[in-house]
Amino acid sequence: DAMVIQNPRYQVTQFGKPVTLSCSQTLNHNVMYWYQQKSSQAPKLLFHYYDKDFNNEADTPDNFQSRRPNTSFCFLDIRSPGLGDAAMYLCATSSSQSGLAYNEQFFGPGTRLTVL
Amino acid sequence: KNEVEQSPQNLTAQEGEFITINCSYSVGISALHWLQQHPGGGIVSLFMLSSGKKKHGRLIATINIQEKHSSLHITASHPRDSAVYICAVTQGAQKLVFGQGTRLTINP
């Protein structure tokens, strides 16, 4: 089945120790998103890729970076995790032609990040 | 005021009851989405609507563009329907704007 996969499902890191979260997709979608969701809150968009074009949200801290080496994979790098970065990180994908209205987003299962 | 408001925030019902969750929005949209999230889990897209009504199994979603309002209905509710239901709208080309979610609990 075509799907969005996130690894690991659970990640524990130490305060200030860089961490990378991974997302892959078999849907061949050209748009990939990273969201942060804290407990009992709605997901918050951090950034998205339209093909190779990176689109950062204005309020996303510099501590968060992303890489998309190819269509299938996208990584979220947290350079110096703080206690406030503990959250569920959700990857999603969608398809879009010519930058017009994007279609339905498909979400991965999420990676729950704990910062000690 | 949030751009997307859901009501109720929490809903508890007995198995078999008909469930309605409401969503109102205050911005122009290209589409409205209903999403489901189980505790500790990822998000599943239930519906994407730009007009009218859609049905999938026991789930029905409606939207009234003029009134900027959508409803999600669950018929013959079951404990496995217990989850957080999130309304989100697509503004312009790409961004999803989320409501705060409705936590639904169905008791056996």
Side-chain angles (χ1 to χ4, degrees):
Chain A
D1 287 341
M3 54 197 305
V4 181
I5 303 160
Q6 290 188 244
N7 286 305
R9 294 293 308 278
Y10 301 90
Q11 176 72 58
V12 180
T13 191
Q14 291 181 330
F15 183 93
K17 185 175 180 182
V19 66
T20 294
L21 309 182
S22 167
C23 177
S24 63
Q25 53 123 343
T26 61
L27 297 160
N28 203 33
H29 284 167
N30 60 330
V31 189
M32 294 187 77
Y33 308 79
W34 278 106
Y35 292 90
Q36 178 193 63
Q37 186 180 27
K38 295 188 177 180
S39 182
S40 300
Q41 295 183 19
K44 176 182 179 298
L45 181 65
L46 296 173
F47 24 62
H48 77 278
Y49 276 93
Y50 178 88
D51 292 327
K52 293 183 179 181
D53 293 333
F54 178 70
N55 297 272
N56 197 34
E57 291 299 298
D59 56 353
T60 298
D62 292 340
N63 197 27
F64 291 87
Q65 303 286 320
S66 185
R67 296 170 283 136
R68 189 179 187 187
N70 54 54
T71 300
S72 301
F73 284 87
C74 194
F75 299 100
L76 170 62
D77 300 309
I78 308 176
R79 293 193 296 188
S80 182
L83 298 179
D85 297 327
M88 174 77 88
Y89 290 87
L90 295 161
C91 173
T93 72
S94 71
S95 64
S96 173
Q97 291 75 44
S98 303
L100 299 177
Y102 291 18
N103 292 320
E104 184 178 5
Q105 289 190 23
F106 291 81
F107 288 82
T111 294
R112 183 167 296 282
L113 178 68
T114 300
V115 182
L116 300 177
Chain B
K1 188 177 189 298
N2 292 335
E3 292 171 316
V4 181
E5 294 273 357
Q6 288 184 236
S7 63
Q9 291 188 7
N10 293 281
L11 177 58
T12 299
Q14 290 300 120
E15 183 174 357
E17 287 189 36
F18 181 80
I19 302 299
T20 296
I21 300 171
N22 295 300
C23 176
S24 297
Y25 53 92
S26 58
V27 294
I29 69 169
S30 52
L32 183 140
H33 307 252
W34 281 102
L35 310 167
Q36 180 193 57
Q37 187 171 32
H38 282 100
I43 292 175
V44 174
S45 177
L46 299 174
F47 296 103
M48 186 174 80
L49 293 164
S50 54
S51 65
K53 175 180 173 178
K54 285 190 176 180
K55 183 176 189 292
H56 185 257
R58 295 180 294 107
L59 302 177
I60 303 166
T62 63
I63 187 169
N64 184 317
I65 297 294
Q66 287 72 32
E67 295 185 3
K68 295 188 175 179
H69 181 270
S70 175
S71 293
L72 175 69
H73 305 286
I74 305 174
T75 61
S77 60
H78 191 276
R80 64 175 175 267
D81 297 326
S82 299
V84 176
Y85 291 84
I86 304 170
C87 173
V89 299
T90 309
Q91 274 189 288
Q94 68 256 23
K95 189 173 177 178
L96 272 181
V97 179
F98 294 87
Q100 286 302 102
T102 295
R103 185 174 299 277
L104 174 66
T105 302
I106 304 295
N107 293 319

